[in-house]
Amino acid sequence: MGKAVLTGRHFWYGNIAIAEGAIAAGCRFFAGYPITPASEIAEHISRRFPEVGGIFVQFEDELASMAAILGASWAGVKSMTATSGPGFSLMMENIGLGVMMEVPVVVVDVQRGAPSTGLPTLTAQGDVMQAKWGSHGQYEIIALSPESPQEAFDLTIRCFNLAEKYRVPTILLASESVCHSAGKVVVPPEEEIEIVYRKKPSVPPDEYLPYKPDEDLIPPMACAGEGYSIKTTGLTHDERGYPDTTPEAQEKLVKRLNDKIRMHREEIVEVEEDFMDDAEIAVVSYGQVSRPAKRAVKMAREEGIKAGSIRLITVWPFAEHIIRKWAKQVDFFVVPELNYGQIYLEVKREACGNAETILVPRMGGRLITPEEIYHEIKKVVGR
Amino acid sequence: MEETCELLHPIDRWLKTERMPHIWCPGCGVGPTIHAWVRALERVGIEKEKVVYVSGIGCCGRGSGYLDVDGFHTTHGRAIPFAVGLKLANPELCVTVISGDGDLFAIGGNHFIHACRRNNDLLVICVNNFIYGMTGGQLAPTTPHGGYSTTSPYGNIEHPFNTPHLADAAGAVYVARWTSIHVRELELSIAEALRMKGFRYIEVLSPCPVNFGRRNNFPEPDAMAKWFAQSSVIMHGADTSKVAIDMGKPIILGNFVKREGKPTYYELLRKLEEMRRKR
Ligand SMILES: Cc1ncc(C[n+]2csc(CCOP(=O)(O)OP(=O)(O)O)c2C)c(N)n1
Ligand code: SF4
């Protein structure tokens, strides 16, 4: 067997970092369909998996890829797919199945210009709301957004850990600009990488109810072939996993699927705050836009402007408690993003009128520069 | 006097009896098909813990919930890729997909041909009732030319798939067709398929008195079953290009294709790994 964790210092593209992060996290099943700008993930995994005993399949489309990783995860193997907008759209129905069946899987979406075929080779952040709301019905999901190749590696591991812990499809919301830029990636020794595995039933098969949650609202997961006679369905179901299409069952199940994430929001949400102690203006950013955003904040500080930065590492569930807290201190939230206003809407909602929220939109195609964000900060100060 | 009933049905140990009654209509062919599958599992002696039943959406799709084996009721059309992932991730399991003709050949048709082509190690049983049962009798990709459905009220102008031919052409290693009234032959055919590796396909023609029969000159609950009984001709090894179903003509049944020696996707994958390690 080859080495799974390539401990050391590397110079990697974001896509390679994602693939290596997945392998380090214990992913041993990958299903995908080629698409720019995500294909290098599949290419790299197709080369690496035979060395580490993983199974790589290039499927006929993203519908199949998404369904296949759900199946593989039910067989007890950590599983992932990677795509970009058009493929992400095709995955939506089965992401919903993953939510309903509570399957730990990781979906990488390397965002590119959209709608439709859009700008295949250029960056964007247009799929943020789709990641949250793309499948039908109401559910909570987890999505993390890396700012660099290093974080692409680290957050891919965290995606697997969160997926396993909360039994929910978890999305790495990357973008072309992170995945096609190279940077230093430090891979720690294997024993220093925290790896989480889904909790298993502690009762014998005749007492096991596949959808009976513990106090944390997460049910222990038996896998296929372990003798638990699992019943699972995308239909609304009871704790036995039997279809129960009554309003009462629907109320109970949908509430739990949402609450199991909401009740752990503070544990799941990770943000990075800079210069916030005395900040009057907060720049809220995520993904690669965070790098120019942080630079712009520094430029403002050099000019004596009390600006700070809040970087959302976890995009979903939304860091509402964080925004609500800072809304009491700052006068303005400045939100630069590569779309026409998505996270901006969340920030505005949570600011509850306590602070004014200003969008700095770019439709995608290129990154926002530090100067452009700084210019917006200056405009706000001038008010 | 208190009566105790010790006479369990021979397949009771495979059933989630507390889930009975099932949802299927009287005269439906889904139940007998699943029955034949379970008897074949018994016959071949497959351990219950290793049996996995994956289904899509439709009347037939509901079957996975009634058996005391690991059952996965997935999304419409995606039973095959779900099962491919599951089986590759745990090759010890005996994975069967049992689903409807709409599920497997309309919305899921692409997955079917690609799984055949790759020779994924799966048994796929299609309960072909010529119609969309669950949603109330709409046109299926198997509805005979001229057949009536709620979305072809003036007769079907399309041409149905000859599914054994499709499977054969795409490379399935085992291809057969039976009907749900040929319970004995069906059981033996499933048993034969269960003993093989690779992509194995069995089409089971099945009465749907409610949604196909009553709109298509089979008004009585047992009329479709009688049609199968009267029109069937058994021709093992028949040329699959000649077994298309045409109302009014004989229905050709039999074990059509058995290809030996074609390695499965998984076997080739492991070989590749071996090669990579030696280098
Ligand atoms: C994506 C999607 N489209 C449509 C449906 C609605 N639908 C449910 S079952 C079905 C057809 C089932 O027909 P078939 O597969 O032949 O199974 P049968 O009910 O006849 O056993 C359809 C169209 C769905 N569930 N999902
Ligand atoms: S509608 Fe047709 S396929 Fe569905 S249960 Fe009734 S008879 Fe069977």
Side-chain angles (χ1 to χ4, degrees):
Chain A
M1 272 302 150
K3 268 176 72 175
V5 180
L6 302 181
T7 304
R9 291 155 66 89
H10 306 270
F11 191 67
W12 277 342
Y13 282 103
N15 275 341
I16 307 303
I18 291 168
E20 287 298 337
I23 294 168
C27 172
R28 292 295 179 272
F29 186 88
F30 182 98
Y33 188 81
I35 188 166
T36 304
S39 296
E40 295 86 357
I41 300 172
E43 288 168 352
H44 189 77
I45 285 189
S46 74
R47 199 169 60 72
R48 282 277 280 139
F49 261 17
E51 300 174 356
V52 298
I55 290 174
F56 165 88
V57 188
Q58 179 174 319
F59 270 90
E60 52 275 16
D61 55 32
E62 291 85 350
L63 302 161
S65 303
M66 188 61 216
I69 64 169
L70 297 178
S73 182
W74 270 116
V77 175
K78 290 188 182 181
S79 307
M80 179 171 100
T81 185
T83 188
S84 184
F88 196 44
S89 292
L90 288 184
M91 287 177 184
M92 285 303 151
E93 188 191 8
N94 285 297
I95 287 178
L97 181 66
V99 166
M100 198 65 153
M101 287 183 164
E102 303 183 61
V103 198
V105 288
V106 174
V107 178
V108 179
D109 175 25
V110 184
Q111 297 170 95
R112 68 187 215 184
S116 190
T117 310
L119 293 175
T121 60
L122 297 178
T123 198
Q125 291 179 314
D127 308 348
V128 178
M129 285 296 174
Q130 185 185 23
K132 171 67 185 78
W133 298 104
S135 198
H136 48 290
Q138 181 146 17
Y139 57 92
E140 289 283 351
I141 206 153
I142 300 175
L144 312 182
S145 191
E147 66 165 359
S148 63
Q150 176 70 58
E151 224 178 43
F153 178 85
D154 297 338
L155 293 189
T156 301
I157 297 175
R158 186 152 193 262
C159 276
F160 274 98
N161 289 347
L162 292 168
E164 292 285 325
K165 179 155 187 197
Y166 297 103
R167 285 189 65 177
V168 71
T170 297
I171 294 160
L172 185 78
L173 203 55
S175 52
E176 188 276 339
S177 42
V178 172
C179 292
H180 280 170
S181 61
K184 187 177 81 178
V185 179
V186 178
V187 176
E190 191 168 347
E191 57 281 7
E192 283 173 26
I193 299 175
E194 193 208 346
I195 300 291
V196 177
Y197 197 74
R198 62 195 70 165
K199 65 178 167 189
K200 305 296 293 177
S202 54
V203 296
D206 54 334
E207 285 168 37
Y208 176 62
L209 297 172
Y211 289 99
K212 185 178 187 320
D214 292 336
E215 251 171 42
D216 59 5
L217 301 187
I218 304 154
M221 185 172 180
C223 292
E226 293 178 347
Y228 282 84
S229 182
I230 311 156
K231 290 285 153 289
T232 182
T233 172
L235 282 166
T236 298
H237 46 267
D238 62 18
E239 291 184 344
R240 298 170 299 180
Y242 296 177
D244 181 349
T245 48
T246 60
E248 295 73 31
Q250 170 76 357
E251 192 78 21
K252 193 170 160 195
L253 179 60
V254 176
K255 196 165 175 313
R256 182 176 66 75
L257 292 177
N258 284 275
D259 288 348
K260 78 170 177 183
I261 303 298
R262 289 183 189 178
M263 99 183 233
H264 298 103
R265 186 189 306 271
E266 298 194 8
E267 208 179 305
I268 300 167
V269 167
E270 205 184 337
V271 299
E272 178 191 74
E273 297 171 347
D274 289 307
F275 304 109
M276 282 305 295
D277 285 351
D278 62 343
E280 289 165 4
I281 302 169
V283 179
V284 182
S285 65
Y286 57 95
Q288 212 181 15
V289 172
S290 295
R291 301 173 83 177
K294 284 188 281 191
R295 180 85 201 98
V297 166
K298 280 212 182 99
M299 288 160 73
R301 281 280 167 179
E302 279 158 21
E303 294 295 313
I305 301 168
K306 287 188 172 165
S309 160
I310 302 171
R311 175 166 82 92
L312 307 174
I313 299 169
T314 308
V315 173
W316 302 116
F318 187 63
E320 47 186 56
H321 53 294
I322 308 277
I323 298 299
R324 239 180 275 141
K325 177 182 98 182
W326 290 115
K328 293 188 189 125
Q329 176 185 312
V330 304
D331 300 321
F332 299 99
F333 287 114
V334 174
V335 187
E337 49 183 344
L338 300 180
N339 55 48
Y340 209 177
Q342 296 195 20
I343 281 299
Y344 156 75
L345 296 168
E346 293 295 300
V347 175
K348 190 169 161 176
R349 187 167 62 79
E350 293 307 331
C352 302
N354 289 323
E356 195 181 326
T357 308
I358 294 138
L359 171 68
V360 186
R362 288 291 176 278
M363 298 315 128
R366 66 170 180 86
L367 267 176
I368 311 183
T369 64
E371 290 71 23
E372 285 168 325
I373 298 169
Y374 173 66
H375 180 72
E376 294 297 328
I377 296 173
K378 286 281 273 190
K379 271 205 326 214
V380 169
V381 176
R383 286 206 199 167
Chain B
M1 199 181 76
E2 210 179 82
E3 248 185 32
T4 49
C5 179
E6 289 296 322
L7 271 179
L8 292 176
H9 190 276
I11 70 157
D12 265 5
R13 74 178 191 99
W14 291 86
L15 295 180
K16 283 269 180 196
T17 41
E18 78 268 23
R19 289 221 48 209
M20 299 297 146
H22 54 65
I23 64 158
W24 300 306
C25 312
C28 176
V30 174
T33 303
I34 295 172
H35 187 179
W37 175 63
V38 170
R39 293 187 87 108
L41 288 166
E42 281 259 344
R43 175 180 284 276
V44 179
I46 295 173
E47 219 183 308
K48 216 171 87 177
E49 283 68 35
K50 297 285 171 234
V51 176
V52 178
Y53 182 162
V54 183
S55 63
I57 300 291
C59 294
C60 186
R62 295 296 283 269
S64 59
Y66 295 124
L67 297 192
D68 190 27
V69 298
D70 292 329
F72 296 92
H73 183 217
T74 65
T75 42
H76 196 25
R78 316 301 161 211
I80 287 179
F82 189 102
V84 167
L86 204 149
K87 170 73 184 176
L88 283 172
N90 185 351
E92 304 280 289
L93 302 175
C94 168
V95 183
T96 304
V97 170
I98 308 181
S99 225
D101 46 291
D103 191 77
L104 290 169
F105 291 102
I107 192 163
N110 201 31
H111 309 311
F112 182 89
I113 55 174
H114 285 279
C116 283
R117 177 179 67 77
R118 274 188 216 105
N119 201 22
N120 287 114
D121 193 15
L122 287 185
L123 168 60
V124 175
I125 299 174
C126 172
V127 178
N128 178 4
N129 54 17
F130 313 101
I131 202 84
Y132 284 11
M134 178 63 95
T135 42
Q138 297 83 7
L139 185 73
T142 47
T143 305
H145 188 71
Y148 294 94
S149 73
T150 58
T151 50
S152 60
Y154 308 114
N156 180 18
I157 56 172
E158 298 186 12
H159 304 278
F161 270 136
N162 169 359
T163 76
H165 187 40
L166 185 66
D168 185 8
V173 297
Y174 184 85
V175 182
R177 174 195 282 152
W178 294 100
T179 83
S180 63
I181 68 162
H182 291 78
V183 284
R184 177 103 183 127
E185 294 90 336
L186 177 60
E187 178 193 327
L188 292 174
S189 171
I190 297 175
E192 185 176 27
L194 283 171
R195 290 193 181 98
M196 291 174 64
K197 275 190 199 162
F199 193 96
R200 295 143 286 159
Y201 173 62
I202 301 173
E203 178 181 56
V204 184
L205 306 181
S206 165
C208 173
V210 177
N211 277 318
F212 185 80
R214 84 191 148 101
R215 295 191 177 90
N216 287 278
N217 261 332
F218 302 107
E220 301 303 323
D222 60 352
M224 283 186 78
K226 282 186 176 145
W227 168 41
F228 295 157
Q230 285 155 9
S231 310
S232 294
V233 178
I234 297 174
M235 283 175 67
H236 293 303
D239 176 349
T240 57
S241 71
K242 308 229 160 66
V243 304
I245 291 169
D246 205 346
M247 301 245 262
K249 295 210 177 125
I251 300 173
I252 315 294
L253 307 180
N255 302 327
F256 301 140
V257 177
K258 193 168 179 180
R259 286 194 178 96
E260 316 264 5
K262 182 176 173 185
T264 68
Y265 183 88
Y266 184 76
E267 287 165 346
L268 292 174
L269 195 75
R270 285 302 173 218
K271 224 186 199 167
L272 193 113
E273 238 171 51
E274 208 50 41
M275 261 164 46
R276 168 92 197 115
R277 226 170 288 154
K278 281 194 191 127
R279 255 206 277 153

